[in-house]
Amino acid sequence: MAKNWWKILSVLLLIYTLIAGFLMAVPRLVIVNETVRALYFHVPMWFGMVVMFLVSTIYAVKYLKTPTVKYDILSVEFANTGLVFGLLGIFTGMIWANYTWGSPWHGDPKQNAAAIALLVYLAYFVLRGSVDNQEQRSRLSAVYNIFAFAAMIPLIFIIPRMTSSMHPGNGGNPGFNTYDLDSRMRMVFYPAVVGWILLGIWIATLRIRMRKAEEQILEIEDYA
Amino acid sequence: MRKYLLLVFLTLSSLATQAQQEVEMADTMRSEGKIYVVVAILCLILFGLIGYLALLDRKVSKLEKRLSEKK
Protein backbone atom coordinates (compact mmCIF):
# COMPACT_ATOMS: atom_id res chain seq x y z
CA MET A 1 0.00 0.00 0.00
CA ALA A 2 2.83 2.39 0.89
CA LYS A 3 4.15 1.98 -2.62
CA ASN A 4 0.81 2.86 -4.15
CA TRP A 5 0.19 6.22 -2.43
CA TRP A 6 0.42 8.07 -5.74
CA LYS A 7 -2.38 5.98 -7.22
CA ILE A 8 -4.64 7.00 -4.34
CA LEU A 9 -3.51 10.61 -4.76
CA SER A 10 -4.41 10.41 -8.44
CA VAL A 11 -7.93 9.17 -7.65
CA LEU A 12 -8.45 11.83 -4.96
CA LEU A 13 -7.29 14.58 -7.32
CA LEU A 14 -9.59 13.34 -10.09
CA ILE A 15 -12.60 13.21 -7.75
CA TYR A 16 -11.72 16.77 -6.67
CA THR A 17 -11.46 17.78 -10.32
CA LEU A 18 -14.94 16.47 -11.11
CA ILE A 19 -16.61 17.99 -8.06
CA ALA A 20 -14.81 21.34 -7.96
CA GLY A 21 -14.64 21.52 -11.74
CA PHE A 22 -18.39 21.51 -12.10
CA LEU A 23 -19.48 23.21 -8.90
CA MET A 24 -16.98 26.03 -8.35
CA ALA A 25 -17.36 29.43 -9.95
CA VAL A 26 -15.68 30.21 -13.27
CA PRO A 27 -15.25 33.57 -15.02
CA ARG A 28 -18.24 34.58 -17.13
CA LEU A 29 -16.80 34.86 -20.62
CA VAL A 30 -18.65 35.43 -23.87
CA ILE A 31 -18.67 32.67 -26.52
CA VAL A 32 -17.14 30.02 -24.26
CA ASN A 33 -19.74 30.42 -21.46
CA GLU A 34 -19.84 27.27 -19.32
CA THR A 35 -17.61 25.33 -21.72
CA VAL A 36 -14.61 26.99 -20.08
CA ARG A 37 -14.86 24.05 -17.64
CA ALA A 38 -13.65 21.76 -20.43
CA LEU A 39 -10.25 23.25 -19.69
CA TYR A 40 -10.00 20.94 -16.65
CA PHE A 41 -10.23 17.94 -18.94
CA HIS A 42 -8.98 18.93 -22.39
CA VAL A 43 -5.72 20.64 -21.42
CA PRO A 44 -4.56 17.98 -18.90
CA MET A 45 -4.76 15.44 -21.74
CA TRP A 46 -2.00 17.34 -23.55
CA PHE A 47 0.02 17.83 -20.39
CA GLY A 48 -0.31 14.10 -19.81
CA MET A 49 0.71 13.32 -23.37
CA VAL A 50 3.84 15.48 -23.15
CA VAL A 51 4.88 13.87 -19.85
CA MET A 52 4.32 10.33 -21.20
CA PHE A 53 6.29 11.11 -24.37
CA LEU A 54 9.08 12.71 -22.33
CA VAL A 55 9.41 9.60 -20.15
CA SER A 56 9.30 7.47 -23.30
CA THR A 57 12.15 9.48 -24.84
CA ILE A 58 14.23 9.26 -21.65
CA TYR A 59 13.98 5.44 -21.78
CA ALA A 60 14.76 5.51 -25.50
CA VAL A 61 18.03 7.32 -24.69
CA LYS A 62 18.69 4.88 -21.85
CA TYR A 63 18.11 1.98 -24.24
CA LEU A 64 20.65 3.36 -26.70
CA LYS A 65 23.17 3.67 -23.86
CA THR A 66 22.54 0.21 -22.42
CA PRO A 67 20.38 -1.96 -24.69
CA THR A 68 18.16 -4.05 -22.42
CA VAL A 69 14.63 -5.28 -23.11
CA LYS A 70 13.43 -3.52 -19.95
CA TYR A 71 14.14 -0.03 -21.29
CA ASP A 72 12.54 -0.88 -24.62
CA ILE A 73 9.33 -2.02 -22.92
CA LEU A 74 9.23 1.13 -20.75
CA SER A 75 9.77 3.34 -23.77
CA VAL A 76 7.05 1.71 -25.90
CA GLU A 77 4.41 1.55 -23.21
CA PHE A 78 4.84 5.19 -22.19
CA ALA A 79 4.58 6.16 -25.86
CA ASN A 80 1.41 4.03 -26.10
CA THR A 81 -0.22 5.78 -23.15
CA GLY A 82 0.94 9.15 -24.44
CA LEU A 83 -0.74 8.47 -27.77
CA VAL A 84 -4.03 7.66 -26.03
CA PHE A 85 -3.83 10.97 -24.16
CA GLY A 86 -3.00 12.81 -27.38
CA LEU A 87 -5.95 11.28 -29.24
CA LEU A 88 -8.28 12.16 -26.36
CA GLY A 89 -6.81 15.67 -26.43
CA ILE A 90 -7.42 16.16 -30.13
CA PHE A 91 -10.96 14.76 -30.07
CA THR A 92 -12.01 16.74 -27.00
CA GLY A 93 -10.51 19.77 -28.73
CA MET A 94 -12.67 19.07 -31.79
CA ILE A 95 -15.84 18.97 -29.71
CA TRP A 96 -14.86 22.22 -28.03
CA ALA A 97 -13.90 23.87 -31.33
CA ASN A 98 -17.24 22.91 -32.84
CA TYR A 99 -18.96 24.89 -30.13
CA THR A 100 -16.66 27.92 -29.87
CA TRP A 101 -15.08 28.22 -33.33
CA GLY A 102 -17.97 26.95 -35.38
CA SER A 103 -16.51 23.75 -36.82
CA PRO A 104 -14.68 20.73 -35.40
CA TRP A 105 -11.67 21.11 -37.68
CA HIS A 106 -10.90 24.75 -38.14
CA GLY A 107 -7.49 24.43 -39.75
CA ASP A 108 -6.14 26.40 -36.84
CA PRO A 109 -2.31 26.21 -36.60
CA LYS A 110 -2.60 24.60 -33.14
CA GLN A 111 -4.94 21.89 -34.44
CA ASN A 112 -2.91 21.20 -37.55
CA ALA A 113 0.38 21.05 -35.68
CA ALA A 114 -1.09 18.79 -32.99
CA ALA A 115 -2.38 16.45 -35.71
CA ILE A 116 1.06 16.34 -37.35
CA ALA A 117 2.69 15.62 -33.98
CA LEU A 118 0.31 12.69 -33.45
CA LEU A 119 1.04 11.39 -36.96
CA VAL A 120 4.77 11.56 -36.23
CA TYR A 121 4.14 9.37 -33.18
CA LEU A 122 1.85 7.01 -35.12
CA ALA A 123 4.76 6.49 -37.50
CA TYR A 124 6.75 5.30 -34.47
CA PHE A 125 4.35 2.37 -34.08
CA VAL A 126 4.36 1.73 -37.82
CA LEU A 127 8.16 1.54 -37.67
CA ARG A 128 8.04 -0.88 -34.76
CA GLY A 129 5.52 -3.05 -36.52
CA SER A 130 7.58 -3.25 -39.68
CA VAL A 131 10.81 -4.64 -38.20
CA ASP A 132 10.91 -8.32 -37.26
CA ASN A 133 14.26 -8.51 -35.53
CA GLN A 134 13.74 -7.53 -31.90
CA GLU A 135 17.08 -5.83 -31.33
CA GLN A 136 16.89 -3.92 -34.57
CA ARG A 137 13.32 -2.88 -33.83
CA SER A 138 14.26 -1.61 -30.38
CA ARG A 139 17.28 0.33 -31.61
CA LEU A 140 15.62 1.89 -34.67
CA SER A 141 12.52 2.87 -32.76
CA ALA A 142 14.59 4.34 -29.91
CA VAL A 143 16.37 6.60 -32.39
CA TYR A 144 13.09 7.53 -34.04
CA ASN A 145 11.52 8.18 -30.62
CA ILE A 146 14.08 10.92 -29.93
CA PHE A 147 13.34 12.47 -33.31
CA ALA A 148 9.59 12.31 -32.67
CA PHE A 149 9.92 14.09 -29.34
CA ALA A 150 12.18 16.73 -30.88
CA ALA A 151 9.55 17.29 -33.60
CA MET A 152 6.56 17.29 -31.23
CA ILE A 153 7.80 20.10 -28.95
CA PRO A 154 8.14 22.81 -31.63
CA LEU A 155 4.99 21.58 -33.40
CA ILE A 156 2.85 22.02 -30.33
CA PHE A 157 4.58 24.74 -28.34
CA ILE A 158 6.44 26.97 -30.80
CA ILE A 159 4.90 27.03 -34.28
CA PRO A 160 1.32 27.87 -33.17
CA ARG A 161 2.72 30.79 -31.14
CA MET A 162 4.60 32.23 -34.12
CA THR A 163 1.46 32.59 -36.22
CA SER A 164 -1.99 33.80 -35.39
CA SER A 165 -4.02 31.12 -33.71
CA MET A 166 -7.45 31.22 -32.12
CA HIS A 167 -6.40 28.69 -29.54
CA PRO A 168 -5.93 30.38 -26.12
CA GLY A 169 -2.30 30.78 -25.10
CA ASN A 170 -1.16 31.09 -28.69
CA GLY A 171 -0.65 33.69 -31.37
CA GLY A 172 2.04 35.66 -29.59
CA ASN A 173 1.04 35.33 -25.95
CA PRO A 174 2.89 32.44 -24.36
CA GLY A 175 1.34 30.35 -21.65
CA PHE A 176 -1.69 31.25 -19.64
CA ASN A 177 -2.24 34.85 -18.70
CA THR A 178 -4.73 36.37 -16.31
CA TYR A 179 -7.34 36.60 -19.03
CA ASP A 180 -7.24 32.93 -19.94
CA LEU A 181 -7.03 31.47 -16.50
CA ASP A 182 -7.94 33.26 -13.30
CA SER A 183 -6.95 32.20 -9.80
CA ARG A 184 -10.24 30.36 -9.16
CA MET A 185 -9.61 28.15 -12.18
CA ARG A 186 -6.00 27.53 -11.27
CA MET A 187 -7.21 26.00 -8.00
CA VAL A 188 -8.85 23.23 -10.02
CA PHE A 189 -6.67 23.19 -13.11
CA TYR A 190 -3.32 22.37 -11.51
CA PRO A 191 -4.65 19.52 -9.32
CA ALA A 192 -6.44 18.22 -12.43
CA VAL A 193 -3.18 18.18 -14.40
CA VAL A 194 -1.37 16.25 -11.64
CA GLY A 195 -4.30 13.83 -11.24
CA TRP A 196 -4.53 13.01 -14.94
CA ILE A 197 -0.76 12.63 -15.30
CA LEU A 198 -0.64 10.22 -12.35
CA LEU A 199 -3.52 8.23 -13.86
CA GLY A 200 -1.57 8.02 -17.12
CA ILE A 201 1.51 6.77 -15.30
CA TRP A 202 -0.65 4.17 -13.50
CA ILE A 203 -2.03 2.85 -16.80
CA ALA A 204 1.44 2.85 -18.36
CA THR A 205 3.00 0.95 -15.42
CA LEU A 206 0.23 -1.66 -15.60
CA ARG A 207 0.97 -2.23 -19.26
CA ILE A 208 4.70 -2.36 -18.53
CA ARG A 209 4.20 -4.95 -15.78
CA MET A 210 2.08 -7.08 -18.10
CA ARG A 211 4.73 -6.90 -20.81
CA LYS A 212 7.47 -7.84 -18.32
CA ALA A 213 5.41 -10.82 -17.12
CA GLU A 214 5.02 -11.84 -20.75
CA GLU A 215 8.79 -11.67 -21.24
CA GLN A 216 9.30 -13.84 -18.13
CA ILE A 217 6.84 -16.43 -19.43
CA LEU A 218 8.73 -16.53 -22.73
CA GLU A 219 11.98 -17.01 -20.83
CA ILE A 220 10.55 -19.90 -18.80
CA GLU A 221 9.19 -21.49 -21.99
CA ASP A 222 12.58 -21.17 -23.67
CA TYR A 223 14.25 -22.73 -20.66
CA ALA A 224 11.87 -25.70 -20.47
CA MET B 1 -21.05 62.73 -43.17
CA ARG B 2 -24.43 61.81 -41.81
CA LYS B 3 -23.88 58.23 -42.80
CA TYR B 4 -20.66 58.05 -40.78
CA LEU B 5 -22.27 59.65 -37.78
CA LEU B 6 -25.00 57.07 -37.94
CA LEU B 7 -22.43 54.31 -38.21
CA VAL B 8 -20.54 55.57 -35.17
CA PHE B 9 -23.78 55.90 -33.23
CA LEU B 10 -24.87 52.39 -34.12
CA THR B 11 -21.50 50.88 -33.19
CA LEU B 12 -21.49 52.67 -29.87
CA SER B 13 -25.05 51.67 -29.07
CA SER B 14 -24.40 48.05 -29.95
CA LEU B 15 -21.29 48.07 -27.74
CA ALA B 16 -23.33 49.54 -24.92
CA THR B 17 -25.99 46.85 -25.15
CA GLN B 18 -23.31 44.20 -25.29
CA ALA B 19 -21.75 45.48 -22.09
CA GLN B 20 -25.12 45.44 -20.37
CA GLN B 21 -25.89 41.93 -21.49
CA GLU B 22 -25.15 39.29 -18.87
CA VAL B 23 -23.03 36.45 -20.15
CA GLU B 24 -25.29 33.45 -20.36
CA MET B 25 -24.29 30.68 -17.96
CA ALA B 26 -26.10 27.64 -16.66
CA ASP B 27 -27.41 29.54 -13.65
CA THR B 28 -30.91 28.03 -13.72
CA MET B 29 -29.52 24.52 -13.84
CA ARG B 30 -27.35 25.32 -10.82
CA SER B 31 -30.14 26.95 -8.82
CA GLU B 32 -32.38 23.95 -9.45
CA GLY B 33 -29.62 21.70 -8.15
CA LYS B 34 -29.57 19.59 -11.31
CA ILE B 35 -25.84 20.12 -11.67
CA TYR B 36 -25.44 17.62 -8.78
CA VAL B 37 -26.99 14.96 -11.00
CA VAL B 38 -24.28 15.56 -13.60
CA VAL B 39 -21.52 15.48 -10.98
CA ALA B 40 -22.94 12.30 -9.41
CA ILE B 41 -23.06 10.51 -12.78
CA LEU B 42 -19.53 11.55 -13.69
CA CYS B 43 -18.22 10.54 -10.27
CA LEU B 44 -19.86 7.12 -10.60
CA ILE B 45 -18.26 6.58 -14.02
CA LEU B 46 -14.89 7.64 -12.60
CA PHE B 47 -15.29 5.28 -9.62
CA GLY B 48 -16.24 2.45 -11.94
CA LEU B 49 -13.27 2.93 -14.23
CA ILE B 50 -10.81 3.44 -11.37
CA GLY B 51 -12.19 0.38 -9.58
CA TYR B 52 -11.70 -1.64 -12.73
CA LEU B 53 -8.15 -0.35 -13.06
CA ALA B 54 -7.47 -1.29 -9.41
CA LEU B 55 -8.77 -4.83 -10.06
CA LEU B 56 -6.49 -5.12 -13.08
CA ASP B 57 -3.61 -3.92 -10.92
CA ARG B 58 -4.33 -6.67 -8.37
CA LYS B 59 -4.54 -9.29 -11.07
CA VAL B 60 -1.18 -8.29 -12.49
CA SER B 61 0.32 -8.35 -8.99
CA LYS B 62 -0.92 -11.92 -8.51
CA LEU B 63 0.53 -12.89 -11.87
CA GLU B 64 3.87 -11.39 -10.94
CA LYS B 65 3.84 -13.31 -7.67
CA ARG B 66 3.16 -16.60 -9.43
CA LEU B 67 5.93 -15.91 -11.90
CA SER B 68 8.48 -15.10 -9.20
CA GLU B 69 7.54 -18.35 -7.40
CA LYS B 70 8.12 -20.32 -10.58
CA LYS B 71 11.60 -18.84 -10.94
Side-chain angles (χ1 to χ4, degrees), chain A residues 7 22 28 33 202 209, chain B residues 24 26-27 30 57 61 64:
Chain A
K7 293 172 186 169
F22 282 96
R28 303 177 85 93
N33 307 89
W202 187 4
R209 284 163 64 192
Chain B
E24 201 186 309
D27 295 317
R30 275 165 209 290
D57 200 316
S61 296
E64 281 170 341

Side-chain angles (χ1 to χ4, degrees), chain B residues 29-42:
Chain B
M29 189 187 181
R30 275 165 209 290
S31 65
E32 284 173 349
K34 279 183 185 148
I35 188 72
Y36 298 111
V37 181
V38 177
V39 175
I41 288 170
L42 287 172

Side-chain angles (χ1 to χ4, degrees), chain A residues 29-97:
Chain A
L29 301 172
V30 283
I31 301 173
V32 284
N33 307 89
E34 289 278 0
T35 68
V36 73
R37 293 175 196 277
L39 181 109
Y40 305 137
F41 305 94
H42 166 72
V43 185
M45 290 302 119
W46 295 107
F47 276 57
M49 183 198 79
V50 171
V51 170
M52 299 305 136
F53 283 165
L54 175 69
V55 176
S56 174
T57 310
I58 290 168
Y59 282 111
V61 173
K62 278 194 166 181
Y63 177 84
L64 291 174
K65 271 184 161 174
T66 35
T68 52
V69 184
K70 191 184 134 199
Y71 290 147
D72 186 52
I73 291 173
L74 280 158
S75 188
V76 184
E77 294 309 338
F78 270 102
N80 251 323
T81 318
L83 190 70
V84 173
F85 271 75
L87 287 173
L88 286 173
I90 214 153
F91 288 127
T92 51
M94 279 167 73
I95 297 171
W96 206 356

Side-chain angles (χ1 to χ4, degrees), chain B residues 13-30:
Chain B
S13 64
S14 77
L15 278 176
T17 48
Q18 228 173 38
Q20 279 165 5
Q21 240 169 25
E22 264 286 290
V23 177
E24 201 186 309
M25 301 292 256
D27 295 317
T28 332
M29 189 187 181
R30 275 165 209 290

Side-chain angles (χ1 to χ4, degrees), chain A residues 1-217:
Chain A
M1 213 48 162
K3 235 172 42 182
N4 293 334
W5 63 270
W6 55 275
K7 293 172 186 169
I8 295 159
L9 178 69
S10 162
V11 177
L12 290 178
L13 287 174
L14 288 178
I15 293 168
Y16 168 74
T17 304
L18 278 188
I19 294 171
F22 282 96
L23 298 182
M24 294 229 301
V26 290
R28 303 177 85 93
L29 301 172
V30 283
I31 301 173
V32 284
N33 307 89
E34 289 278 0
T35 68
V36 73
R37 293 175 196 277
L39 181 109
Y40 305 137
F41 305 94
H42 166 72
V43 185
M45 290 302 119
W46 295 107
F47 276 57
M49 183 198 79
V50 171
V51 170
M52 299 305 136
F53 283 165
L54 175 69
V55 176
S56 174
T57 310
I58 290 168
Y59 282 111
V61 173
K62 278 194 166 181
Y63 177 84
L64 291 174
K65 271 184 161 174
T66 35
T68 52
V69 184
K70 191 184 134 199
Y71 290 147
D72 186 52
I73 291 173
L74 280 158
S75 188
V76 184
E77 294 309 338
F78 270 102
N80 251 323
T81 318
L83 190 70
V84 173
F85 271 75
L87 287 173
L88 286 173
I90 214 153
F91 288 127
T92 51
M94 279 167 73
I95 297 171
W96 206 356
N98 194 30
Y99 179 77
T100 51
W101 297 349
S103 64
W105 202 267
H106 215 76
D108 190 86
K110 189 79 164 185
Q111 276 191 319
N112 287 344
I116 296 166
L118 286 183
L119 287 174
V120 167
Y121 268 95
L122 277 174
Y124 169 78
F125 296 101
V126 173
L127 175 70
R128 284 192 74 87
S130 59
V131 183
D132 271 336
N133 184 297
Q134 199 197 331
E135 252 170 66
Q136 219 170 18
R137 175 174 61 221
S138 306
R139 199 175 58 245
L140 281 174
S141 67
V143 174
Y144 183 81
N145 195 323
I146 298 164
F147 161 78
F149 189 75
M152 185 267 288
I153 292 298
L155 274 169
I156 289 182
F157 294 108
I158 301 172
I159 292 170
R161 291 206 172 110
M162 290 172 73
T163 55
S164 66
S165 167
M166 294 207 291
H167 193 283
N170 289 283
N173 60 336
F176 300 108
N177 54 31
T178 44
Y179 177 77
D180 290 329
L181 195 61
D182 76 346
S183 56
R184 285 173 296 176
M185 291 193 78
R186 277 173 216 271
M187 294 285 288
V188 184
F189 176 66
Y190 293 133
V193 166
V194 177
W196 287 112
I197 288 173
L198 288 177
L199 186 78
I201 295 172
W202 187 4
I203 295 167
T205 50
L206 260 184
R207 289 192 59 110
I208 289 158
R209 284 163 64 192
M210 279 161 74
R211 282 286 304 275
K212 279 183 183 166
E214 215 174 58
E215 286 295 319
Q216 281 180 341
I217 290 168

